[in-house]
Amino acid sequence: EKITIGGYPEVLARKPNRRQRWFDSYLHAVIQRDVKSLYDIQKIGHLEKLFQVLAAISSESLNFSRLAKLTQLDVKSVQKYITALENLYLVKLIPAWHPNELKRAVKQPKIHFIDTGLLCALKHMNSALLLVDRTQLGSVMETFVCSELLKLLSREPSGYRLYHYRDKD
């Protein structure tokens, strides 16, 4: 239940049947108000599709070329849109860990939503559906853990960083 509700205070105060409507209007406001006014984005209509695709691949390695094909945008636009979403604290790119810093810089990052309530709303998932469809639980749980770690790290003055690890196996 905690995972599917997320952490927005406005959502926590709402009844379960009103949460999806709040997330829908929140996304609409972010796209129309924040993204449109803060970033020079021409194809604002493609942003909703990008949100849907990002929700489907949350906690996976990010392939900009694949995203460009799926959203019918060019790679530079996808990168610009994701940077905007990251600056608005909606998603977070987690870089790959590698002992060699040069290799670390070229490996694909993973993408996570900052709030799992927003992620679940985009996927139209509630706690009952998440328990039934265990294939979705893994990626949503990983995103939840990542967002909780990001909250903890934001309070640490020591400058810890979060990475994901993947080897050839």
Side-chain angles (χ1 to χ4, degrees), residues 125-163:
M125 303 233 29
N126 58 28
S127 57
L129 288 171
L130 207 54
L131 288 173
V132 172
D133 187 357
R134 302 297 252 184
T135 60
Q136 296 291 321
L137 183 60
S139 65
V140 175
M141 179 67 78
E142 184 178 333
T143 296
F144 176 75
V145 170
C146 180
S147 68
E148 292 299 307
L149 288 172
L150 288 170
K151 290 175 196 173
L152 288 172
L153 291 177
S154 71
R155 299 178 59 156
E156 277 293 318
S158 56
Y160 290 113
R161 292 180 150 181
L162 198 57
Y163 294 95

mmCIF file of all heavy atoms in Angstrom, residues 125-163:
data_model
loop_
_atom_site.group_PDB
_atom_site.id
_atom_site.type_symbol
_atom_site.label_atom_id
_atom_site.label_comp_id
_atom_site.label_asym_id
_atom_site.label_seq_id
_atom_site.Cartn_x
_atom_site.Cartn_y
_atom_site.Cartn_z
ATOM 1 N N MET A 125 -1.704 0.923 -11.518
ATOM 2 C CA MET A 125 -1.524 -0.203 -10.608
ATOM 3 C C MET A 125 -1.895 0.220 -9.196
ATOM 4 O O MET A 125 -1.476 1.277 -8.739
ATOM 5 C CB MET A 125 -0.064 -0.678 -10.615
ATOM 6 C CG MET A 125 0.433 -1.053 -11.959
ATOM 7 S SD MET A 125 1.171 -2.666 -12.177
ATOM 8 C CE MET A 125 0.475 -3.762 -11.059
ATOM 9 N N ASN A 126 -2.660 -0.612 -8.528
ATOM 10 C CA ASN A 126 -2.916 -0.416 -7.103
ATOM 11 C C ASN A 126 -2.282 -1.584 -6.357
ATOM 12 O O ASN A 126 -1.710 -2.484 -6.972
ATOM 13 C CB ASN A 126 -4.414 -0.273 -6.817
ATOM 14 C CG ASN A 126 -5.206 -1.484 -7.280
ATOM 15 O OD1 ASN A 126 -4.692 -2.606 -7.330
ATOM 16 N ND2 ASN A 126 -6.457 -1.260 -7.624
ATOM 17 N N SER A 127 -2.387 -1.581 -5.044
ATOM 18 C CA SER A 127 -1.701 -2.620 -4.264
ATOM 19 C C SER A 127 -2.241 -4.013 -4.572
ATOM 20 O O SER A 127 -1.477 -4.977 -4.600
ATOM 21 C CB SER A 127 -1.793 -2.315 -2.774
ATOM 22 O OG SER A 127 -3.139 -2.205 -2.372
ATOM 23 N N ALA A 128 -3.531 -4.138 -4.835
ATOM 24 C CA ALA A 128 -4.103 -5.450 -5.159
ATOM 25 C C ALA A 128 -3.534 -5.981 -6.475
ATOM 26 O O ALA A 128 -3.148 -7.154 -6.570
ATOM 27 C CB ALA A 128 -5.624 -5.360 -5.226
ATOM 28 N N LEU A 129 -3.458 -5.131 -7.491
ATOM 29 C CA LEU A 129 -2.899 -5.552 -8.781
ATOM 30 C C LEU A 129 -1.414 -5.878 -8.669
ATOM 31 O O LEU A 129 -0.921 -6.793 -9.318
ATOM 32 C CB LEU A 129 -3.106 -4.474 -9.840
ATOM 33 C CG LEU A 129 -4.522 -4.280 -10.350
ATOM 34 C CD1 LEU A 129 -4.612 -3.041 -11.220
ATOM 35 C CD2 LEU A 129 -4.981 -5.505 -11.118
ATOM 36 N N LEU A 130 -0.712 -5.131 -7.850
ATOM 37 C CA LEU A 130 0.716 -5.352 -7.666
ATOM 38 C C LEU A 130 0.976 -6.707 -7.002
ATOM 39 O O LEU A 130 1.938 -7.396 -7.347
ATOM 40 C CB LEU A 130 1.311 -4.220 -6.831
ATOM 41 C CG LEU A 130 2.767 -3.884 -7.023
ATOM 42 C CD1 LEU A 130 3.094 -3.599 -8.468
ATOM 43 C CD2 LEU A 130 3.152 -2.696 -6.173
ATOM 44 N N LEU A 131 0.114 -7.092 -6.085
ATOM 45 C CA LEU A 131 0.262 -8.399 -5.440
ATOM 46 C C LEU A 131 -0.069 -9.550 -6.387
ATOM 47 O O LEU A 131 0.525 -10.616 -6.301
ATOM 48 C CB LEU A 131 -0.620 -8.478 -4.191
ATOM 49 C CG LEU A 131 -0.136 -7.651 -3.013
ATOM 50 C CD1 LEU A 131 -1.158 -7.658 -1.891
ATOM 51 C CD2 LEU A 131 1.211 -8.155 -2.510
ATOM 52 N N VAL A 132 -1.009 -9.327 -7.293
ATOM 53 C CA VAL A 132 -1.392 -10.370 -8.249
ATOM 54 C C VAL A 132 -0.353 -10.502 -9.351
ATOM 55 O O VAL A 132 0.048 -11.606 -9.719
ATOM 56 C CB VAL A 132 -2.783 -10.059 -8.857
ATOM 57 C CG1 VAL A 132 -3.105 -11.010 -9.994
ATOM 58 C CG2 VAL A 132 -3.851 -10.131 -7.787
ATOM 59 N N ASP A 133 0.105 -9.382 -9.890
ATOM 60 C CA ASP A 133 1.086 -9.392 -10.989
ATOM 61 C C ASP A 133 2.484 -9.194 -10.409
ATOM 62 O O ASP A 133 3.001 -8.088 -10.348
ATOM 63 C CB ASP A 133 0.755 -8.292 -12.001
ATOM 64 C CG ASP A 133 1.628 -8.350 -13.240
ATOM 65 O OD1 ASP A 133 2.535 -9.206 -13.296
ATOM 66 O OD2 ASP A 133 1.404 -7.538 -14.148
ATOM 67 N N ARG A 134 3.095 -10.289 -10.001
ATOM 68 C CA ARG A 134 4.402 -10.231 -9.351
ATOM 69 C C ARG A 134 5.511 -9.792 -10.309
ATOM 70 O O ARG A 134 6.572 -9.390 -9.855
ATOM 71 C CB ARG A 134 4.753 -11.587 -8.745
ATOM 72 C CG ARG A 134 3.724 -12.075 -7.735
ATOM 73 C CD ARG A 134 3.649 -11.177 -6.574
ATOM 74 N NE ARG A 134 4.240 -11.839 -5.427
ATOM 75 C CZ ARG A 134 4.258 -11.336 -4.228
ATOM 76 N NH1 ARG A 134 3.734 -10.171 -4.002
ATOM 77 N NH2 ARG A 134 4.808 -11.977 -3.239
ATOM 78 N N THR A 135 5.280 -9.852 -11.617
ATOM 79 C CA THR A 135 6.307 -9.394 -12.561
ATOM 80 C C THR A 135 6.509 -7.889 -12.439
ATOM 81 O O THR A 135 7.605 -7.389 -12.685
ATOM 82 C CB THR A 135 5.933 -9.741 -14.015
ATOM 83 O OG1 THR A 135 4.688 -9.116 -14.342
ATOM 84 C CG2 THR A 135 5.815 -11.237 -14.217
ATOM 85 N N GLN A 136 5.466 -7.172 -12.062
ATOM 86 C CA GLN A 136 5.572 -5.719 -11.883
ATOM 87 C C GLN A 136 6.178 -5.351 -10.539
ATOM 88 O O GLN A 136 6.777 -4.292 -10.401
ATOM 89 C CB GLN A 136 4.181 -5.077 -11.995
ATOM 90 C CG GLN A 136 3.537 -5.226 -13.339
ATOM 91 C CD GLN A 136 4.236 -4.407 -14.396
ATOM 92 O OE1 GLN A 136 4.660 -3.281 -14.149
ATOM 93 N NE2 GLN A 136 4.374 -4.956 -15.571
ATOM 94 N N LEU A 137 6.009 -6.223 -9.563
ATOM 95 C CA LEU A 137 6.445 -5.915 -8.212
ATOM 96 C C LEU A 137 7.953 -5.661 -8.131
ATOM 97 O O LEU A 137 8.391 -4.752 -7.434
ATOM 98 C CB LEU A 137 6.048 -7.041 -7.241
ATOM 99 C CG LEU A 137 6.399 -6.803 -5.773
ATOM 100 C CD1 LEU A 137 5.723 -5.550 -5.233
ATOM 101 C CD2 LEU A 137 6.021 -8.023 -4.944
ATOM 102 N N GLY A 138 8.754 -6.439 -8.847
ATOM 103 C CA GLY A 138 10.210 -6.292 -8.780
ATOM 104 C C GLY A 138 10.684 -4.907 -9.181
ATOM 105 O O GLY A 138 11.449 -4.268 -8.448
ATOM 106 N N SER A 139 10.223 -4.423 -10.322
ATOM 107 C CA SER A 139 10.687 -3.106 -10.786
ATOM 108 C C SER A 139 10.142 -1.978 -9.922
ATOM 109 O O SER A 139 10.845 -1.004 -9.635
ATOM 110 C CB SER A 139 10.311 -2.885 -12.252
ATOM 111 O OG SER A 139 8.915 -2.819 -12.408
ATOM 112 N N VAL A 140 8.901 -2.112 -9.470
ATOM 113 C CA VAL A 140 8.323 -1.076 -8.616
ATOM 114 C C VAL A 140 9.013 -1.075 -7.253
ATOM 115 O O VAL A 140 9.303 -0.018 -6.695
ATOM 116 C CB VAL A 140 6.796 -1.259 -8.479
ATOM 117 C CG1 VAL A 140 6.206 -0.270 -7.493
ATOM 118 C CG2 VAL A 140 6.124 -1.100 -9.835
ATOM 119 N N MET A 141 9.314 -2.262 -6.735
ATOM 120 C CA MET A 141 10.020 -2.361 -5.446
ATOM 121 C C MET A 141 11.427 -1.766 -5.555
ATOM 122 O O MET A 141 11.875 -1.046 -4.665
ATOM 123 C CB MET A 141 10.105 -3.821 -4.996
ATOM 124 C CG MET A 141 10.843 -4.015 -3.691
ATOM 125 S SD MET A 141 10.007 -3.312 -2.275
ATOM 126 C CE MET A 141 8.768 -4.546 -1.997
ATOM 127 N N GLU A 142 12.119 -2.050 -6.655
ATOM 128 C CA GLU A 142 13.461 -1.480 -6.851
ATOM 129 C C GLU A 142 13.390 0.043 -6.907
ATOM 130 O O GLU A 142 14.228 0.735 -6.321
ATOM 131 C CB GLU A 142 14.095 -2.030 -8.130
ATOM 132 C CG GLU A 142 15.505 -1.551 -8.340
ATOM 133 C CD GLU A 142 16.168 -2.127 -9.581
ATOM 134 O OE1 GLU A 142 15.800 -3.233 -10.009
ATOM 135 O OE2 GLU A 142 17.073 -1.451 -10.113
ATOM 136 N N THR A 143 12.392 0.571 -7.590
ATOM 137 C CA THR A 143 12.218 2.019 -7.661
ATOM 138 C C THR A 143 11.915 2.596 -6.284
ATOM 139 O O THR A 143 12.430 3.652 -5.915
ATOM 140 C CB THR A 143 11.105 2.372 -8.668
ATOM 141 O OG1 THR A 143 11.528 1.955 -9.969
ATOM 142 C CG2 THR A 143 10.812 3.854 -8.700
ATOM 143 N N PHE A 144 11.094 1.895 -5.501
ATOM 144 C CA PHE A 144 10.769 2.340 -4.150
ATOM 145 C C PHE A 144 12.030 2.395 -3.283
ATOM 146 O O PHE A 144 12.289 3.382 -2.595
ATOM 147 C CB PHE A 144 9.723 1.411 -3.516
ATOM 148 C CG PHE A 144 9.402 1.746 -2.096
ATOM 149 C CD1 PHE A 144 8.616 2.841 -1.787
ATOM 150 C CD2 PHE A 144 9.886 0.958 -1.061
ATOM 151 C CE1 PHE A 144 8.317 3.158 -0.472
ATOM 152 C CE2 PHE A 144 9.596 1.265 0.259
ATOM 153 C CZ PHE A 144 8.804 2.365 0.558
ATOM 154 N N VAL A 145 12.824 1.335 -3.317
ATOM 155 C CA VAL A 145 14.060 1.291 -2.521
ATOM 156 C C VAL A 145 15.003 2.406 -2.961
ATOM 157 O O VAL A 145 15.600 3.099 -2.133
ATOM 158 C CB VAL A 145 14.734 -0.100 -2.620
ATOM 159 C CG1 VAL A 145 16.129 -0.090 -2.018
ATOM 160 C CG2 VAL A 145 13.861 -1.162 -1.945
ATOM 161 N N CYS A 146 15.128 2.587 -4.261
ATOM 162 C CA CYS A 146 15.995 3.649 -4.782
ATOM 163 C C CYS A 146 15.527 5.025 -4.292
ATOM 164 O O CYS A 146 16.340 5.842 -3.846
ATOM 165 C CB CYS A 146 15.999 3.597 -6.309
ATOM 166 S SG CYS A 146 17.022 4.859 -7.054
ATOM 167 N N SER A 147 14.231 5.273 -4.349
ATOM 168 C CA SER A 147 13.728 6.587 -3.914
ATOM 169 C C SER A 147 13.936 6.792 -2.416
ATOM 170 O O SER A 147 14.240 7.904 -1.974
ATOM 171 C CB SER A 147 12.258 6.767 -4.298
ATOM 172 O OG SER A 147 11.429 5.911 -3.567
ATOM 173 N N GLU A 148 13.796 5.731 -1.639
ATOM 174 C CA GLU A 148 14.044 5.846 -0.195
ATOM 175 C C GLU A 148 15.528 6.112 0.080
ATOM 176 O O GLU A 148 15.864 6.925 0.943
ATOM 177 C CB GLU A 148 13.578 4.580 0.534
ATOM 178 C CG GLU A 148 12.069 4.382 0.523
ATOM 179 C CD GLU A 148 11.308 5.506 1.207
ATOM 180 O OE1 GLU A 148 11.624 5.818 2.370
ATOM 181 O OE2 GLU A 148 10.409 6.087 0.571
ATOM 182 N N LEU A 149 16.409 5.442 -0.663
ATOM 183 C CA LEU A 149 17.846 5.694 -0.505
ATOM 184 C C LEU A 149 18.202 7.122 -0.915
ATOM 185 O O LEU A 149 19.028 7.768 -0.265
ATOM 186 C CB LEU A 149 18.660 4.685 -1.320
ATOM 187 C CG LEU A 149 18.681 3.260 -0.777
ATOM 188 C CD1 LEU A 149 19.349 2.320 -1.778
ATOM 189 C CD2 LEU A 149 19.378 3.208 0.572
ATOM 190 N N LEU A 150 17.587 7.615 -1.973
ATOM 191 C CA LEU A 150 17.840 8.994 -2.399
ATOM 192 C C LEU A 150 17.419 9.987 -1.316
ATOM 193 O O LEU A 150 18.108 10.993 -1.086
ATOM 194 C CB LEU A 150 17.114 9.298 -3.707
ATOM 195 C CG LEU A 150 17.690 8.635 -4.950
ATOM 196 C CD1 LEU A 150 16.745 8.797 -6.134
ATOM 197 C CD2 LEU A 150 19.064 9.200 -5.268
ATOM 198 N N LYS A 151 16.315 9.710 -0.644
ATOM 199 C CA LYS A 151 15.873 10.582 0.455
ATOM 200 C C LYS A 151 16.911 10.584 1.579
ATOM 201 O O LYS A 151 17.252 11.636 2.111
ATOM 202 C CB LYS A 151 14.523 10.116 0.997
ATOM 203 C CG LYS A 151 13.372 10.344 0.067
ATOM 204 C CD LYS A 151 12.107 9.728 0.638
ATOM 205 C CE LYS A 151 11.037 9.597 -0.417
ATOM 206 N NZ LYS A 151 9.870 8.847 0.087
ATOM 207 N N LEU A 152 17.390 9.400 1.919
ATOM 208 C CA LEU A 152 18.399 9.308 2.979
ATOM 209 C C LEU A 152 19.692 10.014 2.588
ATOM 210 O O LEU A 152 20.292 10.725 3.389
ATOM 211 C CB LEU A 152 18.693 7.841 3.308
ATOM 212 C CG LEU A 152 17.606 7.087 4.056
ATOM 213 C CD1 LEU A 152 17.957 5.612 4.144
ATOM 214 C CD2 LEU A 152 17.400 7.670 5.437
ATOM 215 N N LEU A 153 20.134 9.807 1.355
ATOM 216 C CA LEU A 153 21.382 10.412 0.900
ATOM 217 C C LEU A 153 21.292 11.933 0.827
ATOM 218 O O LEU A 153 22.300 12.614 0.984
ATOM 219 C CB LEU A 153 21.796 9.838 -0.453
ATOM 220 C CG LEU A 153 22.231 8.370 -0.452
ATOM 221 C CD1 LEU A 153 22.547 7.906 -1.862
ATOM 222 C CD2 LEU A 153 23.414 8.153 0.468
ATOM 223 N N SER A 154 20.100 12.453 0.578
ATOM 224 C CA SER A 154 19.950 13.914 0.501
ATOM 225 C C SER A 154 20.182 14.574 1.860
ATOM 226 O O SER A 154 20.480 15.751 1.936
ATOM 227 C CB SER A 154 18.567 14.284 -0.030
ATOM 228 O OG SER A 154 17.572 13.998 0.934
ATOM 229 N N ARG A 155 20.074 13.806 2.931
ATOM 230 C CA ARG A 155 20.285 14.337 4.280
ATOM 231 C C ARG A 155 21.705 14.144 4.764
ATOM 232 O O ARG A 155 22.079 14.647 5.804
ATOM 233 C CB ARG A 155 19.309 13.673 5.237
ATOM 234 C CG ARG A 155 17.865 13.950 4.863
ATOM 235 C CD ARG A 155 16.944 13.258 5.776
ATOM 236 N NE ARG A 155 17.221 13.737 7.127
ATOM 237 C CZ ARG A 155 16.363 13.713 8.116
ATOM 238 N NH1 ARG A 155 15.173 13.239 7.913
ATOM 239 N NH2 ARG A 155 16.692 14.141 9.312
ATOM 240 N N GLU A 156 22.500 13.392 4.022
ATOM 241 C CA GLU A 156 23.877 13.088 4.411
ATOM 242 C C GLU A 156 24.831 14.162 3.903
ATOM 243 O O GLU A 156 24.876 14.421 2.701
ATOM 244 C CB GLU A 156 24.312 11.741 3.820
ATOM 245 C CG GLU A 156 23.883 10.545 4.616
ATOM 246 C CD GLU A 156 24.583 10.472 5.955
ATOM 247 O OE1 GLU A 156 25.793 10.728 6.051
ATOM 248 O OE2 GLU A 156 23.883 10.161 6.935
ATOM 249 N N PRO A 157 25.610 14.772 4.756
ATOM 250 C CA PRO A 157 26.571 15.777 4.301
ATOM 251 C C PRO A 157 27.821 15.163 3.670
ATOM 252 O O PRO A 157 28.616 15.863 3.066
ATOM 253 C CB PRO A 157 26.938 16.528 5.588
ATOM 254 C CG PRO A 157 26.717 15.528 6.673
ATOM 255 C CD PRO A 157 25.577 14.648 6.207
ATOM 256 N N SER A 158 27.981 13.841 3.774
ATOM 257 C CA SER A 158 29.222 13.194 3.342
ATOM 258 C C SER A 158 29.362 13.042 1.830
ATOM 259 O O SER A 158 30.430 12.699 1.352
ATOM 260 C CB SER A 158 29.340 11.825 4.009
ATOM 261 O OG SER A 158 28.184 11.075 3.712
ATOM 262 N N GLY A 159 28.311 13.267 1.073
ATOM 263 C CA GLY A 159 28.417 13.208 -0.384
ATOM 264 C C GLY A 159 28.403 11.815 -0.977
ATOM 265 O O GLY A 159 29.005 11.571 -2.024
ATOM 266 N N TYR A 160 27.737 10.874 -0.332
ATOM 267 C CA TYR A 160 27.597 9.537 -0.915
ATOM 268 C C TYR A 160 26.833 9.624 -2.221
ATOM 269 O O TYR A 160 25.996 10.505 -2.406
ATOM 270 C CB TYR A 160 26.833 8.604 0.029
ATOM 271 C CG TYR A 160 27.590 8.210 1.261
ATOM 272 C CD1 TYR A 160 27.175 8.648 2.508
ATOM 273 C CD2 TYR A 160 28.712 7.396 1.176
ATOM 274 C CE1 TYR A 160 27.863 8.285 3.653
ATOM 275 C CE2 TYR A 160 29.408 7.032 2.315
ATOM 276 C CZ TYR A 160 28.972 7.483 3.543
ATOM 277 O OH TYR A 160 29.653 7.125 4.663
ATOM 278 N N ARG A 161 27.124 8.697 -3.132
ATOM 279 C CA ARG A 161 26.421 8.644 -4.413
ATOM 280 C C ARG A 161 25.798 7.275 -4.591
ATOM 281 O O ARG A 161 26.314 6.284 -4.082
ATOM 282 C CB ARG A 161 27.379 8.911 -5.561
ATOM 283 C CG ARG A 161 27.892 10.314 -5.569
ATOM 284 C CD ARG A 161 28.805 10.476 -6.727
ATOM 285 N NE ARG A 161 28.741 11.852 -7.173
ATOM 286 C CZ ARG A 161 29.414 12.305 -8.190
ATOM 287 N NH1 ARG A 161 30.182 11.496 -8.876
ATOM 288 N NH2 ARG A 161 29.331 13.554 -8.535
ATOM 289 N N LEU A 162 24.742 7.250 -5.350
ATOM 290 C CA LEU A 162 24.041 6.002 -5.624
ATOM 291 C C LEU A 162 24.401 5.535 -7.030
ATOM 292 O O LEU A 162 24.415 6.335 -7.975
ATOM 293 C CB LEU A 162 22.531 6.253 -5.523
ATOM 294 C CG LEU A 162 21.620 5.070 -5.362
ATOM 295 C CD1 LEU A 162 21.985 4.259 -4.127
ATOM 296 C CD2 LEU A 162 20.185 5.529 -5.250
ATOM 297 N N TYR A 163 24.738 4.251 -7.170
ATOM 298 C CA TYR A 163 25.049 3.644 -8.454
ATOM 299 C C TYR A 163 24.272 2.343 -8.578
ATOM 300 O O TYR A 163 23.821 1.789 -7.578
ATOM 301 C CB TYR A 163 26.551 3.300 -8.551
ATOM 302 C CG TYR A 163 27.459 4.502 -8.558
ATOM 303 C CD1 TYR A 163 28.033 4.958 -7.386
ATOM 304 C CD2 TYR A 163 27.737 5.172 -9.741
ATOM 305 C CE1 TYR A 163 28.876 6.060 -7.382
ATOM 306 C CE2 TYR A 163 28.586 6.261 -9.741
ATOM 307 C CZ TYR A 163 29.134 6.698 -8.567
ATOM 308 O OH TYR A 163 29.962 7.796 -8.577
#
